[in-house]
Amino acid sequence: FHRTFDFLSAVGKEAEWASADRDPRAHLGLQLHVEILDWLRYIRPTDGELCARAMAIRTARAAIQKVYSHAVVHVIGSMATGMILPESGIDLLVTHLQPTTQVVGSLTAALLQQGVAFVSNVVEGHPVFGTHLVGKLRETRLPLRVVLCQDERERGVLRPDLLN
């Protein structure tokens, strides 16, 4: 099944974010894919916002590894996929840690003490994320999720191929 869609005739003008090299004869699904990518580029956070996120990730990683030096911290979610929006928070996967009450408490204290984030909730037994901390980044007030697990393969649903 193949249909074409001429965006110009549908709305009367070109969208601000649409790239000039779109092919109106392409399959509708491909056109939608290209338009979504164009839109994501258009609303992409500023370099300053991306820098603030990168600094928060480095600080969070350092705070976590200061308490648990053997822990491995991966960036997951929209930051890892490149599908980040201005309101997107930071999702971290911390492996090589058993998510016990003591570990959760230590990480919560470390993130607060290092000025990274305020942890507002600890969720246990979530069907996708398992045990994780939920909070807000201190500087930007953006959401922060820190997922804890002993082995990253336990969280395979989080797309381990995107871990970095």
Side-chain angles (χ1 to χ4, degrees):
F1 184 74
H2 182 77
R3 292 190 301 171
T4 61
F5 178 73
D6 184 355
F7 190 78
L8 279 173
S9 65
V11 296
K13 65 177 186 170
E14 187 68 45
E16 277 184 60
W17 62 83
S19 60
D21 60 347
R22 283 185 302 106
D23 180 3
R25 298 166 305 189
H27 186 275
L28 187 59
L30 179 60
Q31 289 184 56
L32 177 60
H33 173 77
V34 169
E35 178 128 359
I36 289 169
L37 293 176
D38 286 346
W39 180 74
L40 285 169
R41 277 189 290 278
Y42 177 74
I43 65 163
R44 180 181 179 269
T46 66
D47 289 343
E49 291 168 329
L50 292 172
C51 183
R53 283 177 173 83
M55 288 172 53
I57 290 167
R58 278 194 299 275
T59 307
R61 183 176 277 136
I64 291 166
Q65 290 176 331
K66 184 176 182 179
V67 178
Y68 296 102
S69 60
H70 63 281
V72 179
V73 181
H74 303 278
V75 177
I76 59 174
S78 61
M79 288 284 295
T81 63
M83 305 283 277
I84 184 171
L85 303 175
E87 302 82 25
S88 294
I90 294 174
D91 299 302
L92 302 174
L93 172 64
V94 182
T95 61
H96 302 93
L97 284 181
Q98 191 72 322
T100 64
T101 304
Q102 180 181 352
V103 168
V104 168
S106 297
L107 290 181
T108 300
L111 291 169
L112 183 60
Q113 185 179 30
Q114 294 298 313
V116 177
F118 303 104
V119 175
S120 58
N121 196 13
V122 176
V123 180
E124 296 183 67
H126 188 277
V128 174
F129 296 111
T131 300
H132 63 279
L133 312 174
V134 177
K136 296 224 179 261
L137 294 170
R138 192 172 197 164
E139 295 296 318
T140 63
R141 302 284 188 219
L142 290 170
L144 172 71
R145 180 189 324 264
V146 180
V147 179
L148 307 170
C149 67
Q150 179 67 30
D151 183 346
E152 61 245 21
R153 289 175 297 191
E154 295 174 28
R155 301 271 59 93
V157 71
L158 298 176
R159 303 265 324 262
D161 57 310
L162 296 176
L163 298 178
N164 58 9

